[in-house]
Amino acid sequence: RSGTLQSHWREGGLNRVPALAAGRQLTTMAGVPVDAKFFRHYDDLGNEAQSLTGVEGGLADAKQVLQDEQQRLKKVKAELAHNRKKQKYHEKRIDDCHNHCVKSKTFCQPCLWCSGGVEGKIAREEQKLEDFKAAEPGLVAKEKKLEEETVPAAQKRKDGLEDQNARKEEINNERLQMYEGAIAGSPSPLLTALNQAVATWETALNTELQIQAGVQEVGAGLRAALGHYQQAMGLLQQALMTNRGAQINNVLDGNEGIERMQQMQRNMMMNQAKRAVEEGASTLEYALGRIPPQAAQRHPQAAA
């Protein structure tokens, strides 16, 4: 079993893993035997992948060529449509010169008096029409060749290269799965230790992320509670100012109706402040109850 993969693994120390040292048969995580057949298939895939080297660049080039040819076809179609439109235009002008009640009379068109009259105009229009008719077969031939040969060939080349590129990716994925499956099927002590370390750190990281999310939630709750308390303080200050206004109005023997209205406003703001304090206390209690146990253990004084 002297394949490329086997040599690579031997150089990497795979022959020193416990399974080989004990003479046991190696298998992948999926239970596939790591034997001569396994190595041959792996190396055959590698040779096939090697034969597909450069397919990515070829595919990019094929896509550009196809796009260019499609643009050429679009341009030729536009030129052909313009040609046929101009033919109809000049045919209409020639017909007008023969049959139109005004355009067929030279004396009715001063612009033609010094340019050969209607007969001269007809000759010029017929020449232009002839030029467009002469150009039409060439455009038709270009359109046909692009539609039936050039564009389909470019499309076929692109499709083929896309299939090859997909096959190359499939090969690379399969070889990677084979390699990782064989390594994982009988890991060395070092690899086992590394996997355990990774699992430990992943657990620690997940724990830290949970703590972070919990602390952020607590912080949001504390900020909300602070907002309620600040709202209550503002309401109390407004109530105090309103109460002072009522006292001044009473000292000056002011209008009792105004004084009564001020007292009602004061009472309303006091009640609103009370509700804000109660909601702040409820929010604060909920937030403190959401402190993650791990965070509380690390910072007992802050969590107390």
Side-chain angles (χ1 to χ4, degrees):
R1 301 185 301 177
S2 57
T4 304
L5 174 62
Q6 192 178 15
S7 300
H8 175 67
W9 284 348
R10 185 180 297 112
E11 293 171 1
L14 186 61
N15 287 334
R16 293 193 294 272
V17 300
L20 287 178
R24 298 198 303 271
Q25 170 66 58
L26 278 175
T27 60
T28 66
M29 289 294 291
V32 178
V34 181
D35 52 14
K37 180 180 179 181
F38 180 92
F39 286 114
R40 281 197 302 270
H41 181 56
Y42 184 91
D43 291 338
D44 288 344
L45 291 175
N47 293 332
E48 185 178 355
Q50 185 67 28
S51 69
L52 296 173
T53 300
V55 69
E56 298 90 347
L59 177 57
D61 178 69
K63 288 180 176 179
Q64 185 61 52
V65 170
L66 176 60
Q67 182 179 353
D68 292 342
E69 296 300 338
Q70 289 173 335
Q71 289 295 326
R72 285 182 57 198
L73 176 59
K74 183 178 179 180
K75 182 179 179 181
V76 170
K77 284 182 174 293
E79 291 176 354
L80 183 57
H82 175 74
N83 178 289
R84 289 169 175 168
K85 182 178 179 180
K86 294 297 288 186
Q87 287 188 49
K88 292 181 180 179
Y89 172 76
H90 291 296
E91 287 173 350
K92 177 66 167 56
R93 288 172 67 87
I94 293 171
D95 181 71
D96 287 344
C97 289
H98 286 293
N99 302 312
H100 196 274
C101 60
V102 175
K103 295 180 180 180
S104 62
K105 306 296 190 295
T106 300
F107 68 87
C108 294
Q109 303 176 79
C111 59
L112 300 179
W113 291 353
C114 299
S115 57
V118 172
E119 290 77 11
K121 181 179 179 180
I122 291 173
R124 292 190 295 273
E125 294 296 328
E126 287 179 343
Q127 182 60 51
K128 292 176 182 178
L129 177 61
E130 187 62 29
D131 291 342
F132 281 110
K133 286 185 175 181
E136 182 180 9
L139 293 173
V140 172
K142 285 184 180 180
E143 180 187 42
K144 182 177 180 181
K145 183 176 181 180
L146 286 167
E147 285 184 335
E148 298 180 0
E149 299 179 20
T150 309
V151 172
Q155 182 70 53
K156 182 178 179 180
R157 177 170 176 258
K158 182 188 79 74
D159 293 343
L161 288 169
E162 283 182 339
D163 292 341
Q164 292 180 22
N165 189 56
R167 174 56 182 164
K168 184 176 180 180
E169 292 180 358
E170 179 184 348
I171 290 171
N172 290 335
N173 290 334
E174 183 176 355
R175 294 180 84 232
L176 179 62
Q177 292 173 5
M178 292 176 67
Y179 182 85
E180 292 182 345
I183 293 296
S186 184
S188 66
L190 177 59
L191 181 58
T192 300
L194 289 173
N195 287 333
Q196 291 174 350
V198 169
T200 300
W201 282 108
E202 284 181 344
T203 301
L205 176 59
N206 291 332
T207 301
E208 292 299 324
L209 291 175
Q210 292 174 1
I211 294 174
Q212 180 184 18
V215 171
Q216 289 176 344
E217 183 181 359
V218 171
L222 294 177
R223 287 190 294 272
L226 177 61
H228 291 306
Y229 287 131
Q230 290 174 338
Q231 181 186 10
M233 287 293 296
L235 290 168
L236 288 174
Q237 290 176 355
Q238 293 179 27
L240 178 60
M241 294 176 61
T242 303
N243 187 63
R244 287 175 179 173
Q247 290 175 346
I248 293 173
N249 185 68
N250 185 47
V251 170
L252 297 177
D253 197 19
N255 190 308
E256 293 184 1
I258 295 176
E259 182 182 358
R260 190 176 300 109
M261 182 180 298
Q262 289 175 326
Q263 291 175 350
M264 290 176 61
Q265 290 177 345
R266 177 201 60 193
N267 295 339
M268 180 181 67
M269 286 184 284
M270 291 290 290
N271 289 329
Q272 289 177 347
K274 178 185 177 183
R275 288 194 294 271
V277 170
E278 291 173 348
E279 190 162 354
S282 175
T283 303
L284 179 61
E285 182 181 1
Y286 176 79
L288 294 177
R290 301 292 294 177
I291 296 177
Q294 301 91 331
Q297 292 173 3
R298 294 180 186 178
H299 309 281
Q301 293 180 351

